[in-house]
Amino acid sequence: MRTGMFSYTTYEDQQIEPHFLDACFLCRKPLGNNSDIFMYRGNTPFCSKDCRQEQIQFDEAKQKSWKVSSSSSSSRGALRKSDTNKNPTPDKSVRRTGSVAVA
């Protein structure tokens, strides 16, 4: 038997992925053919304004927590830098020894 670039597959072998407009992103309620679809951020469908608003609030809260965590970590980094710069004149008697390997 010769193998080629074409192969025979049966219906059972194929996995059908649902279309992104088949169900609400938040509550997974099926979106009917004749019902309104409320979109958010391009291609995210919702069955109602309420579901969409809930996702918007969730995303905003997540974004605020990221900003808070990144600003608190950067302010800690600034404190560390100021601690290392307390002595404005470096000690010239300190020599660094060691080896560096480069691949």
Side-chain angles (χ1 to χ4, degrees):
M1 179 176 214
R2 199 172 125 200
T3 60
M5 72 184 226
F6 298 107
S7 65
Y8 175 77
T9 58
T10 63
Y11 179 75
E12 293 82 25
D13 295 337
Q14 298 174 356
Q15 291 187 1
I16 300 172
E17 286 201 26
H19 191 268
F20 76 99
L21 291 176
D22 284 344
C24 177
F25 180 78
L26 189 66
C27 70
R28 303 291 182 224
K29 177 182 172 185
L31 299 173
N33 291 336
N34 220 6
S35 64
D36 290 337
I37 299 174
F38 301 88
M39 302 299 289
Y40 171 61
R41 289 198 172 177
N43 61 354
T44 309
F46 295 92
C47 63
S48 66
K49 288 181 181 180
D50 294 334
C51 278
R52 181 180 62 184
Q53 186 60 36
E54 190 174 332
Q55 184 66 41
I56 291 170
Q57 291 171 344
F58 175 78
D59 289 347
E60 288 174 351
K62 187 168 50 170
Q63 190 176 20
K64 285 178 185 178
S65 70
W66 285 346
K67 286 181 181 179
V68 168
S69 66
S70 67
S71 67
S72 65
S73 65
S74 64
S75 65
R76 281 184 266 156
L79 291 174
R80 289 182 194 143
K81 287 180 183 177
S82 65
D83 290 344
T84 60
N85 293 331
K86 285 185 179 178
N87 187 1
T89 56
D91 187 7
K92 297 195 185 231
S93 64
V94 176
R95 293 189 178 230
R96 294 183 182 176
T97 60
S99 60
V100 176
V102 178

